Amino acid sequence: MQLNPESKKISEIFPIDAETHYNIPIYQRSYSWKTDNVETLFQDIVKEDYGYYVGNLLVTPTKNNQDYLDVVDGQQRLTTISLYLLGIYYHLRAYKDNVNHIDDKVIENDFDEALIFIQRQLINKENDKTRLRLLKSDQEIYDGLMEIITKSYKDYTPSKNRIMGKRFNEILELISSEFFEEGYNEFSLNNLLTFYKKVNRMEILRIGVNNLSDAFSIFTSFNAKGLPLTLIDLLKSYYLKQAEIEGVNNAIDKWTKLLSYFYDSNQEANSTLVTQFLQNNYDTYEQENKKSTSSITKSQALRAYERLFEDKGERYINTLLNRALIFSSFTNKIGENNEKLNYSENIIAFLNKIDRLDATSVYPIILFILVEFKNDKIELMEVERILEFLINYFVRRNVTSIPKASNLRAKSLAAVREMQNDNNEFKNYLEIIKKHLKTLATEDEVFVSALNGNVYDGIKETTRIILVDLETVSYTHL
């Protein structure tokens, strides 16, 4: 493994007169720094002396241009530093609009120089592109913020509902409160210019690696010792590494589409839901032991999916896309994508109830049944009967707290294994599910006794379902 470590100042990382560009490759995560991360680094710069060390930057050259470096590790910090520079530029422009004259010629010279230099540090004047090239979704926000330079600091796209937009707005407020709390004056301006010089003189250890596989090894090592990557981040890296081997150009679009099924209201992927999908998909379809009723852990899932992509190639993403669409239809996007799934109104209503009942233990059953339905292997009416049975079952389960979730999960997987059994020519899916789950069900007397207690505490959603359906549904018989 050939490493090329170099201690670099930020002014060398973001030079004013070189062709250097930093590209965030497709196997990386989106920008995700939190408020605490941004504030801590900001205060460190304010308090520390010149030459403050801010960490490592692991890069590898791109295939076509040695001046374009792929960032393997350090992109969160690098992106934030560029936002600090942009925030400084914003306040310098605001100062220029509010103060007509600077008396101190040294400060005036530093001021004029900073305005010119920051533009050239962040945007290459030769091609008008940002020196830092982010993932597609982040780049759109970043370009909007860069309109502070390319258009006007008063007329830019703030994207305040997105993570990067929120962090940049916080940076503007940090700079304002730190340097301009008492208004615009030369003393506060000089302090901001000192802060700019400190940012430029910060030290970062840039480690160059020529081989992508070596970069992956170091990347994994760095993150194992620092902030751990999520299952999604690491799986993405393995998938896209395989996609590069296969030469697939639209791999990142497929990954983005997969995550889009689990977007929250801010158009960010809900990592908990994605992890749930990956674990349930593996438990339902990919267990090496086809008789297994155990569930895979997060750490086991990473190794398992790495093997899956090695064995099946990047095309396995197409299978994941189909199943993710269905999984999201009962966890995150209930009632959406109906033109692709052909769900009836009853199915959508049932899935809404199941979501409210927190029926995660039987997700393998639901996933399997809905995949079978999409593949025309089960009739609509049977799907509706199965979902209705699961609702009745979970109303009883939530009221009595019996059975335990882990036991129910094992029975759920056992039912799936029997439904998957090719030797069973005439399958009655509902009866198979009932056979396995009813072995753990409570007696009617226990359920009725629990109903006579205080059912409102802790199971409010279940209670609401009971009250709404009281006139039409019977939960006393499964």
Side-chain angles (χ1 to χ4, degrees):
M1 182 184 298
Q2 184 176 356
L3 301 180
N4 182 28
E6 299 175 285
S7 181
K8 295 277 190 181
K9 293 182 173 64
I10 292 301
S11 60
E12 297 174 283
I13 298 296
F14 291 105
I16 62 173
D17 57 0
E19 292 298 314
T20 306
H21 288 73
Y22 292 93
N23 176 63
I24 307 305
I26 56 178
Y27 52 76
Q28 282 283 21
R29 67 171 75 175
S30 298
Y31 183 72
S32 60
W33 258 27
K34 299 183 183 301
T35 300
D36 289 347
N37 302 123
V38 171
E39 290 181 351
T40 299
L41 181 55
F42 181 88
Q43 292 303 327
D44 285 346
I45 300 169
V46 171
K47 295 174 183 177
E48 295 290 339
D49 294 330
Y50 289 101
Y52 174 58
Y53 172 70
V54 288
N56 302 321
L57 179 64
L58 179 62
V59 297
T60 186
T62 59
K63 292 180 179 179
N64 300 323
N65 193 328
Q66 294 294 309
D67 290 324
Y68 281 72
L69 300 173
D70 280 347
V71 178
V72 183
D73 186 77
Q75 67 122 334
Q76 302 289 333
R77 186 178 295 104
L78 193 64
T79 304
T80 302
I81 291 171
S82 76
L83 294 178
Y84 288 155
L85 292 172
L86 185 61
I88 294 168
Y89 182 88
Y90 176 96
H91 279 286
L92 291 177
R93 288 294 307 273
Y95 188 95
K96 189 174 184 177
D97 277 7
N98 285 276
V99 178
N100 295 325
H101 181 70
I102 299 174
D103 293 326
D104 190 306
K105 295 303 178 184
V106 175
I107 295 177
E108 183 181 30
N109 182 67
D110 288 347
F111 174 82
D112 293 337
E113 190 176 77
L115 280 173
I116 296 171
F117 281 8
I118 293 174
Q119 291 185 55
R120 292 167 65 179
Q121 283 181 282
L122 296 178
I123 299 175
N124 188 339
K125 65 177 182 178
E126 300 298 328
N127 56 22
D128 292 328
K129 290 185 177 180
T130 55
R131 290 193 185 275
L132 186 59
R133 306 299 299 172
L134 306 176
L135 300 179
K136 184 178 179 181
S137 58
D138 283 343
Q139 188 66 42
E140 292 174 358
I141 302 169
Y142 195 63
D143 286 341
L145 297 177
M146 286 298 159
E147 290 173 355
I148 291 170
I149 293 175
T150 60
K151 290 185 178 180
S152 165
Y153 82 96
K154 294 181 179 179
D155 183 25
Y156 71 100
T157 307
S159 299
K160 291 183 179 180
N161 292 325
R162 304 296 296 276
I163 290 177
M164 186 181 296
K166 289 178 180 178
R167 298 296 87 84
F168 180 69
N169 192 56
E170 290 164 3
I171 288 169
L172 292 181
E173 292 177 1
L174 284 169
I175 294 174
S176 180
S177 62
E178 181 69 32
F179 302 111
F180 297 114
E181 192 169 17
E182 297 181 2
Y184 292 112
N185 57 68
E186 288 192 20
F187 178 77
S188 60
L189 174 61
N190 190 50
N191 286 338
L192 177 59
L193 291 170
T194 299
F195 178 77
Y196 170 58
K197 292 173 185 177
K198 281 188 170 185
V199 171
N200 270 328
R201 295 185 195 179
M202 286 192 302
E203 297 278 345
I204 195 164
L205 182 63
R206 191 177 75 179
I207 304 171
V209 184
N210 291 327
N211 187 288
L212 183 59
S213 61
D214 288 344
F216 268 101
S217 299
I218 299 172
F219 168 70
T220 304
S221 174
F222 280 179
N223 283 283
K225 296 173 184 176
L227 179 66
L229 295 173
T230 65
L231 169 62
I232 307 164
D233 298 318
L234 293 171
L235 177 59
K236 177 183 178 182
S237 72
Y238 290 129
Y239 156 60
L240 293 171
K241 182 179 179 182
Q242 190 68 31
E244 181 164 323
I245 293 172
E246 296 288 333
V248 179
N249 295 324
N250 64 345
I252 188 60
D253 291 332
K254 289 185 177 181
W255 183 262
T256 302
K257 184 177 181 181
L258 176 70
L259 294 187
S260 73
Y261 292 136
F262 304 99
Y263 278 172
D264 57 22
S265 58
N266 290 325
Q267 298 300 296
E268 303 288 345
N270 183 320
S271 62
T272 300
L273 278 177
V274 181
T275 300
Q276 275 189 339
F277 162 66
L278 293 171
Q279 290 177 293
N280 279 280
N281 174 72
Y282 190 87
D283 287 347
T284 306
Y285 291 103
E286 307 298 351
Q287 284 279 9
E288 293 180 1
N289 180 358
K290 297 305 179 183
K291 295 183 180 180
S292 173
T293 59
S294 61
S295 296
I296 196 167
T297 65
K298 293 179 184 178
S299 59
Q300 291 170 339
L302 175 61
R303 293 188 291 271
Y305 275 99
E306 183 182 5
R307 290 193 298 270
L308 277 172
F309 278 113
E310 286 176 352
D311 293 343
K312 300 185 178 184
E314 67 83 23
R315 290 180 296 277
Y316 182 63
I317 194 71
N318 296 323
T319 300
L320 288 178
L321 280 169
N322 290 331
R323 293 173 185 166
L325 170 65
I326 291 170
F327 190 84
S328 70
S329 75
F330 61 88
T331 57
N332 189 50
K333 295 182 178 293
I334 301 172
E336 299 182 26
N337 297 310
N338 216 31
E339 71 283 354
K340 300 178 182 177
L341 298 170
N342 295 318
Y343 289 168
S344 65
E345 290 184 6
N346 279 342
I347 286 182
I348 294 172
F350 290 152
L351 292 178
N352 268 301
K353 286 184 182 179
I354 287 172
D355 180 56
R356 292 162 60 195
L357 289 167
D358 193 25
T360 57
S361 301
V362 294
Y363 276 2
I365 288 177
I366 301 171
L367 177 61
F368 177 79
I369 290 300
L370 294 179
V371 168
E372 293 290 280
F373 174 67
K374 189 172 186 294
N375 294 332
D376 297 323
K377 294 182 179 180
I378 182 173
E379 297 294 330
L380 171 64
M381 190 172 295
E382 187 171 5
V383 174
E384 292 179 350
R385 287 200 297 264
I386 290 170
L387 296 178
E388 189 172 22
F389 166 77
L390 292 176
I391 290 168
N392 294 344
Y393 190 94
F394 265 86
V395 166
R396 293 167 62 99
R397 188 264 171 191
N398 291 353
V399 168
T400 62
S401 299
I402 301 172
K404 291 172 58 178
S406 57
N407 294 339
L408 188 52
R409 176 79 173 189
K411 287 294 183 182
S412 173
L413 288 170
V416 169
R417 298 291 173 260
E418 184 171 344
M419 289 187 287
Q420 290 171 330
N421 188 348
D422 293 334
N423 296 325
N424 191 347
E425 185 176 355
F426 301 102
K427 301 177 184 178
N428 186 322
Y429 289 155
L430 177 58
E431 292 306 314
I432 291 173
I433 294 167
K434 283 184 175 181
K435 180 182 74 174
H436 287 277
L437 299 194
K438 288 177 72 172
T439 60
L440 300 176
T442 55
E443 298 294 332
D444 290 347
E445 292 78 7
V446 176
F447 176 57
V448 172
S449 175
L451 283 176
N452 289 326
N454 187 356
V455 296
Y456 295 95
D457 291 339
I459 55 167
K460 292 180 180 179
E461 285 298 328
T462 302
T463 304
R464 289 190 184 102
I465 290 173
I466 292 173
L467 293 175
V468 169
D469 293 345
L470 196 58
E471 295 183 0
T472 57
V473 178
S474 172
Y475 302 106
T476 56
H477 295 286
L478 291 175

